[in-house]
Amino acid sequence: MDLQKHTEPDLRKRTEPDVRKHTDLRASDADRDRIADMLRDAHAEGRLTAEEHAERVEEVFRAKTVGELEPLVRDLPAAHRTGPSTAFTAAPNRPAPGAIPPVADENVVAVFSAAVRRGRWRVGRRTHAYAIFGSVEIDLSEALFEHQQVVIKAISVFGSVEIRVPENVSLRGSGGGVLGSFEVDTLDSGEQDAPVVYVDGLAVLGSIEAKPKRGKLIEDILDRVSDKVNARLRKHLGH
């Protein structure tokens, strides 16, 4: 009896955080499409009136998390059928083979000096940054992304390389430091079409740092997502 009393709370402690973690995930376009399809089928079967269907579809495209989507279909049979589920897919840790050329589109170099790249500029597929007894700053928060995968290769020797990205891109890093620091804040965008920035680097008695710039978003991503949402909304409302 005593063993059961002690084990049951422990089991709850181990399982409850996983449930919260799932429902707190940002909803993807695929998640919204799946729920909207369930609502459309329910309307066709007569389970939802036209007004109920329209109201729920509007809520689908307002939802930010998986937890906000699930209640919209909880009373429908489709939500309880067994089958493949749509899982959250993180950005890959490495670029797709052959997607990034080995030659840099742009070199940013600082030798006993400082180099800054910021503002409204077009980001190539590959950028190389070299800080030798100097500092390099690469700010992508207002940049134009023409490619979904972007690589920044950074080398710092007795210097520093700072990289800032918008909050609605994905960020990955691979590298290290020799008596130096290499720090990349892993970031997953909530948008399926968002660019992925890969930072490869080596810091020798220096530092390399990449992180999101709070409050900065890529406007063209927001425009594309808005257009897609409006198109899907019209589709599911039958317009």
Side-chain angles (χ1 to χ4, degrees):
M1 293 295 293
D2 292 340
L3 178 61
Q4 185 176 5
K5 289 180 180 178
H6 287 291
T7 55
E8 288 180 354
D10 291 340
L11 287 173
R12 286 195 297 270
K13 288 179 181 178
R14 286 195 294 268
T15 57
E16 287 175 359
D18 292 335
V19 174
R20 290 195 299 269
K21 190 174 182 180
H22 166 72
T23 56
D24 288 344
L25 285 175
R26 297 281 294 188
S28 67
D29 286 345
D31 293 327
R32 295 185 182 92
D33 282 344
R34 177 171 56 86
I35 298 300
D37 286 342
M38 290 183 187
L39 295 174
R40 183 190 58 200
D41 293 342
H43 179 226
E45 295 167 358
R47 301 181 190 275
L48 294 175
T49 66
E51 184 178 354
E52 289 172 332
H53 173 253
E55 289 176 354
R56 294 196 190 192
V57 168
E58 288 180 4
E59 290 298 324
V60 166
F61 294 104
R62 288 198 192 103
K64 301 295 185 183
T65 66
V66 173
E68 293 174 355
L69 288 173
E70 291 177 348
L72 299 174
V73 294
R74 188 171 292 158
D75 59 346
L76 301 178
H80 305 282
R81 294 171 189 160
T82 58
S85 59
T86 304
F88 172 75
T89 303
N93 290 325
R94 300 296 304 167
I100 309 296
V103 179
D105 296 303
E106 182 174 2
N107 293 301
V108 184
V109 181
V111 179
F112 288 97
S113 62
V116 179
R117 198 74 168 93
R118 67 160 71 102
R120 199 72 169 164
W121 60 292
R122 298 184 183 276
V123 184
R125 284 177 292 182
R126 176 182 287 273
T127 299
H128 289 177
Y130 302 95
I132 314 297
F133 290 93
S135 65
V136 171
E137 179 187 347
I138 298 178
D139 188 341
L140 304 176
S141 61
E142 298 180 1
L144 298 173
F145 285 84
E146 297 181 330
H147 309 281
Q148 189 169 19
Q149 295 184 325
V150 172
V151 167
I152 298 177
K153 182 178 180 181
I155 301 295
S156 173
V157 179
F158 287 96
S160 66
V161 177
E162 292 186 359
I163 301 165
R164 297 294 181 263
V165 302
E167 287 189 294
N168 56 345
V169 305
S170 294
L171 179 63
R172 294 288 184 270
S174 176
V178 178
L179 298 178
S181 66
F182 177 86
E183 181 182 354
V184 175
D185 290 354
T186 299
L187 178 66
D188 276 308
S189 174
E191 308 301 342
Q192 187 176 2
D193 297 331
V196 185
V197 178
Y198 299 94
V199 178
D200 293 336
L202 175 63
V204 180
L205 291 167
S207 66
I208 297 172
E209 180 185 78
K211 60 177 58 177
K213 192 168 185 177
R214 299 303 176 189
K216 290 293 185 178
L217 303 174
I218 301 178
E219 294 179 1
D220 59 338
I221 288 183
L222 297 179
D223 292 340
R224 291 202 306 268
V225 171
S226 177
D227 291 342
K228 289 170 65 178
V229 167
N230 291 335
R232 290 194 180 97
L233 184 58
R234 288 193 297 269
K235 169 188 172 184
H236 290 291
L237 289 177
H239 296 308

